Amino acid sequence: MRYFARIGLFVLVLFIELRPIGAQQPELPRPLALPDGSQAVSLRSLVEELEKNNPDIRAARYRFEAASKRPSQAGTLPEPRVQIVNFGVGHPFSVLNGSNFAYQAIGASQEIPFPGKLALASEEARREAQSEFETYKGVGLDAIARLKVAYYEWFYLSKAIEILGRNRDLLERFEKIARARYAVGKGLQQDVLKAQVDLSGVFQQIELSRQRQASAEALIGSLLGRNQNVSLGIPAEVKRSTLDMDLNGLLKAVEQNSPRVRAQQHMVDSRAVGIERAGKEYRPDFSFNFQWQHTGSRFPDYYMATAEVKLPVYFWRKQRYGAEEAQARFQEARQEYRSSVQQAEFTAKDQYLVAKTSERLLALYESGVIPQASLSVESNVAGYEVGQIDFLTLTNSLMSLLTFEMQYYEELAKHEQALARIEPLIGRQLVQP
């Protein structure tokens, strides 16, 4: 977009129009006011800050770290127990040899679940940890996608305010020109009224765009964990990214690589192990105890070893319902997996169509609409100079050109936002920050 050449063209038009009535030489359209010393903020720097400071990402990482500690706990034997015994006769602290029955003993016991129970519990926890890891990845990609969507909205609105500001400046000058011509009897009152109406409309658009821009900045600040009173600055220029996948390849990537889908798949696997583990609960657990006893000098020391079996005799009230619960949780996980696949594929296809439509529209703007609008402006300027085009037609063509440029940036933002929304669904970047 050759903005400076067009601004020069606009100034030339104003000079031609103002010279016959002796008005003051117009100034160049003033640029959008920016904070002193502000620099363009790149998307890359914001993404790096997001990965460090976003609370959702940090919380998801801690959830994964917590889940990764459970497999070892679930697969380890219960803690052994140590026993110390002082068996007396007559009073609690009778000494040895005070009775033939008195003794002191030390022993240990260990509970041992039925073979396979601990391994299955550890495997179930391990798969849950894998699910949490994929969820952690998904949370990070979702947060980055939200940041990119907000950034491109911020970029578009900044461009829109800049273009509307130029439009406002031109309309203010056109309104002055129309009033001056009308005052000396060379213009029409309808030209003055039309310029004033258009100027009011532009002021309204600028205020709405500023409100939307402030909201986009607030969302970015929230994602970054920043103080809302701190200004972000101005966005850097955005270049159109390339979508190098067809729809079939995109849908296949969603099913294979989406962190959310993979998290649900690991949860299905975990619940399947849970069914097998619930079946093991019908099996008995064991407990072994060994005790060494010291009886004093009259009798030799001796030991005692015992074994216990915990029988699941209430299986119809406990284990049976545990197995049914595990089966229900498995079916729940399967349905959530199917739902996540369908939702991800729908979103991917929807945003793919948005991106492809935006690509065609951008090509149309670049090769047809904007060049044609520029030629129309040049033709209208030439016609106006020789009296073949009226003032209203000239102003309309100038505003149309600025409107098309604003629509171009809006479509560019839509294209990049669509790719950003696809990224969490396929687990890789399409828009390079």
Side-chain angles (χ1 to χ4, degrees):
M1 304 305 160
R2 298 184 176 89
Y3 290 127
F4 295 108
R6 290 169 186 160
I7 291 174
L9 178 61
F10 300 159
V11 174
L12 176 61
V13 173
L14 294 175
F15 176 76
I16 293 172
E17 187 57 40
L18 287 172
R19 185 173 52 186
I21 60 175
Q24 184 181 357
Q25 186 81 2
E27 299 177 356
L28 289 174
R30 62 180 181 273
L32 182 66
L34 298 174
D36 294 338
S38 60
Q39 297 181 353
V41 179
S42 69
L43 180 57
R44 180 184 299 276
S45 64
L46 295 182
V47 170
E48 292 175 353
E49 183 177 351
L50 174 86
E51 293 175 337
K52 295 178 181 178
N53 300 331
N54 183 264
D56 291 335
I57 296 178
R58 299 175 69 178
R61 184 177 72 245
Y62 287 128
R63 282 196 300 270
F64 161 65
E65 291 180 358
S68 66
K69 311 302 181 183
R70 288 197 292 267
S72 177
Q73 300 177 61
T76 302
L77 286 170
E79 286 75 7
R81 297 180 179 181
V82 176
Q83 302 170 338
I84 299 177
V85 181
N86 180 25
F87 186 82
V89 177
H91 57 85
F93 301 102
S94 60
V95 296
L96 294 179
N97 300 321
S99 170
N100 293 335
F101 298 100
Y103 67 88
Q104 294 175 345
I106 184 170
S109 63
Q110 175 67 60
E111 183 181 352
I112 301 179
F114 191 86
K117 284 187 177 182
L118 293 179
L120 290 173
S122 178
E123 179 65 14
E124 183 179 11
R126 186 181 69 83
R127 293 178 186 249
E128 287 183 0
Q130 290 176 337
S131 177
E132 288 293 345
F133 176 69
E134 295 295 339
T135 300
Y136 163 55
K137 289 170 55 179
V139 169
L141 291 173
D142 286 342
I144 292 174
R146 291 177 61 197
L147 174 65
K148 290 181 178 180
V149 169
Y151 182 88
Y152 295 129
E153 179 75 3
W154 181 39
F155 165 77
Y156 157 65
L157 292 169
S158 297
K159 285 293 184 182
I161 292 173
E162 178 184 348
I163 294 171
L164 288 169
R166 293 205 305 270
N167 203 345
R168 175 202 58 204
D169 293 342
L170 290 172
L171 285 173
E172 287 176 346
R173 293 176 176 86
F174 290 159
E175 192 267 342
K176 292 178 182 178
I177 293 171
R179 281 193 287 107
R181 287 174 59 87
Y182 178 69
V184 298
K186 292 185 178 182
L188 301 175
Q189 186 180 21
Q190 67 182 24
D191 292 344
V192 179
L193 297 176
K194 179 65 166 59
Q196 291 175 346
V197 171
D198 290 342
L199 186 60
S200 298
V202 168
F203 275 113
Q204 180 186 28
Q205 293 182 60
I206 289 176
E207 290 303 317
L208 291 175
S209 297
R210 285 175 176 170
Q211 182 270 318
R212 291 176 57 191
Q213 183 190 43
S215 297
E217 290 180 353
L219 177 56
I220 293 173
S222 175
L223 292 170
L224 299 178
R226 286 188 181 183
N227 189 321
Q228 291 291 345
N229 294 325
V230 178
S231 174
L232 292 178
I234 58 175
E237 288 295 325
V238 172
K239 296 182 179 180
R240 182 171 54 171
S241 304
T242 302
L243 179 59
D244 56 355
M245 304 176 68
D246 59 14
L247 183 56
N248 290 333
L250 179 63
L251 295 179
K252 184 179 295 185
V254 168
E255 189 171 356
Q256 294 177 351
N257 302 327
S258 171
R260 295 292 187 182
V261 172
R262 289 171 62 88
Q264 291 298 328
Q265 181 60 65
H266 285 305
M267 189 57 66
V268 171
D269 296 340
S270 175
R271 296 295 183 252
V273 176
I275 292 177
E276 187 176 357
R277 187 171 70 87
K280 289 285 187 180
E281 293 299 323
Y282 286 96
R283 302 294 188 266
D285 295 333
F286 309 98
S287 179
F288 298 95
N289 177 69
F290 178 85
Q291 188 177 95
W292 173 79
Q293 298 179 352
H294 176 60
T295 59
S297 59
R298 296 183 181 181
F299 298 97
D301 296 343
Y302 56 94
Y303 68 90
M304 179 174 60
T306 60
E308 298 179 0
V309 179
K310 185 171 67 175
L311 299 177
V313 294
Y314 302 111
F315 65 90
W316 70 90
R317 292 173 56 88
K318 186 175 182 180
Q319 283 78 9
R320 179 169 67 90
Y321 286 117
E324 292 177 359
E325 177 187 357
Q327 182 66 37
R329 291 187 178 279
F330 172 72
Q331 295 299 334
E332 175 195 13
R334 286 186 60 188
Q335 296 306 316
E336 288 182 348
Y337 168 74
R338 292 181 57 189
S339 176
S340 64
V341 171
Q342 293 172 354
Q343 183 62 39
E345 288 181 344
F346 161 73
T347 304
K349 183 176 181 179
D350 179 61
Q351 295 304 310
Y352 176 86
L353 296 175
V354 171
K356 287 300 181 181
T357 301
S358 294
E359 288 179 2
R360 293 190 292 270
L361 291 176
L362 288 171
L364 183 61
Y365 278 117
E366 293 170 353
S367 62
V369 174
I370 293 179
Q372 291 169 3
S374 299
L375 292 175
S376 176
V377 170
E378 294 174 3
S379 176
N380 289 337
V381 169
Y384 180 76
E385 290 176 343
V386 297
Q388 296 178 350
I389 299 296
D390 60 21
F391 184 70
L392 186 60
T393 301
L394 176 61
T395 59
N396 286 339
S397 65
L398 292 172
M399 287 188 294
S400 295
L401 177 59
L402 292 176
T403 300
F404 288 140
E405 291 179 350
M406 190 164 63
Q407 291 173 347
Y408 171 84
Y409 283 111
E410 182 179 16
E411 209 60 47
L412 176 61
K414 287 182 179 179
H415 180 268
E416 299 304 298
Q417 287 174 333
L419 297 189
R421 292 188 179 101
I422 292 175
E423 289 180 346
L425 305 176
I426 61 176
R428 71 180 182 90
Q429 287 190 351
L430 296 174
V431 179
Q432 297 299 326

